[in-house]
Amino acid sequence: MKEETILAERIYESRKFLGITQEVLADKLGITPQSVSRWENGQSRPDVDMLPKLAAIFDISIDSLFGYHAENLKIAQYENSFEQSNYHFGNEINKMTREVLGFMPPNKPRTLLEIGCGDGQTAVFFAKNGYIVSAFDISNECLQRGRQLANKAGVNVNFFHADILNYKIGANFDVIYSNMTMHYIPITDRRRIFNILQENTAIGGLNVINVFVEKSFVSDSFNLKKKGHFYQAAELFSYYGQNWKFEMMEEIYPTEINSSVPCCMDVMIARRIN
């Protein structure tokens, strides 16, 4: 594929991932919407001084705009992205993640937001299966690894830096997904955060979330318990009212989490019906 064609496709796809119009992108760059249209149609290409601005808006590298993979980056641990075993809770795609494919199949364009994406392997999994994926984390190091993994897999994921406690979503998603992250939300902020998630879920869309649950056998030696705020049993489900249908409500234990640490999780897939 010619470089001009790749660049045109990257600009179009990245703009769509952000959910902005040609007019909005043009305004950010100080140019006309017609110029953006010509770029996306391959009729012209951005001037050199526009490339860093585009990369910054899309939160990708200039190399990625042209479809180049950063071969010089040290990403050996991601060569077999779902086959390595260097993740704390294991790296296999879990049941909750696989269930999304059944409850919200990507048989048409589906938007998905991952909260607390970590190293990006789940975001890349969804992108490889056809979802339009945005994913954020508070760790820039994790985001960089996620971008490397996405480049290696040849998929586009809109990775960006944000903190769940103050991030304003501002768009409706077909799926809002969070794995092993929501225990970082203090009790006093939970209802507010869950209300934001629900308000930014499309009608018919899913919230796919798990949380660590307080149990007598979970000791204080559990590091995540020291850092986070565990939930009471069934507390997660209590934040969802009559406008939501529970497609999945489960309590799972260490062998199902790929963890040798004594722990328990509530797992929820809820669909917005009104």
Side-chain angles (χ1 to χ4, degrees), residues 77 80-92:
Q77 65 268 44
N80 300 307
S81 57
F82 304 116
E83 296 176 6
Q84 303 302 314
S85 58
N86 57 339
Y87 300 106
H88 183 71
F89 285 98
N91 62 319
E92 295 181 5

Side-chain angles (χ1 to χ4, degrees), residues 141-162:
E141 181 180 351
C142 285
L143 292 170
Q144 181 60 25
R145 290 199 293 265
R147 294 185 184 105
Q148 293 169 15
L149 182 57
N151 279 339
K152 189 67 180 179
V155 296
N156 195 346
V157 176
N158 175 29
F159 286 108
F160 61 98
H161 179 270

Side-chain angles (χ1 to χ4, degrees), residues 107-174:
N107 50 12
K108 64 178 184 178
R110 304 283 195 185
T111 56
L112 184 147
L113 174 68
E114 182 176 7
I115 297 170
C117 60
D119 294 321
Q121 62 267 36
T122 302
V124 169
F125 169 82
F126 281 125
K128 289 174 71 174
N129 278 279
Y131 295 85
I132 302 169
V133 181
S134 297
F136 71 84
D137 200 275
I138 199 170
S139 167
N140 285 312
E141 181 180 351
C142 285
L143 292 170
Q144 181 60 25
R145 290 199 293 265
R147 294 185 184 105
Q148 293 169 15
L149 182 57
N151 279 339
K152 189 67 180 179
V155 296
N156 195 346
V157 176
N158 175 29
F159 286 108
F160 61 98
H161 179 270
D163 183 342
I164 183 59
L165 293 180
N166 53 37
Y167 174 58
K168 303 294 189 289
I169 297 177
N172 278 357
F173 287 86
D174 293 308

Side-chain angles (χ1 to χ4, degrees), residues 175-242:
V175 181
I176 295 182
Y177 174 99
S178 180
N179 178 42
M180 298 186 183
T181 297
M182 303 303 276
H183 65 281
Y184 290 112
I185 300 175
I187 296 172
T188 52
D189 289 310
R190 286 178 189 167
R191 187 163 298 279
R192 174 180 65 85
I193 297 296
F194 280 108
N195 284 343
I196 291 172
L197 302 190
Q198 293 173 46
E199 291 167 0
N200 288 275
T201 304
I203 301 296
L206 302 177
N207 280 188
V208 184
I209 298 169
N210 60 28
V211 297
F212 288 102
V213 176
E214 188 75 45
K215 293 288 183 180
S216 60
F217 59 79
V218 178
S219 70
D220 290 337
S221 63
F222 189 10
N223 288 336
L224 281 174
K225 190 173 183 181
K226 292 180 179 179
K227 299 175 183 177
H229 311 271
F230 275 35
Y231 287 61
Q232 298 300 309
E235 179 187 348
L236 171 63
F237 313 129
S238 72
Y239 295 117
Y240 288 78
Q242 61 183 0

Side-chain angles (χ1 to χ4, degrees), residues 238-250:
S238 72
Y239 295 117
Y240 288 78
Q242 61 183 0
N243 293 331
W244 290 79
K245 173 188 176 184
F246 291 109
E247 303 282 9
M248 178 178 174
M249 299 170 65
E250 291 187 357

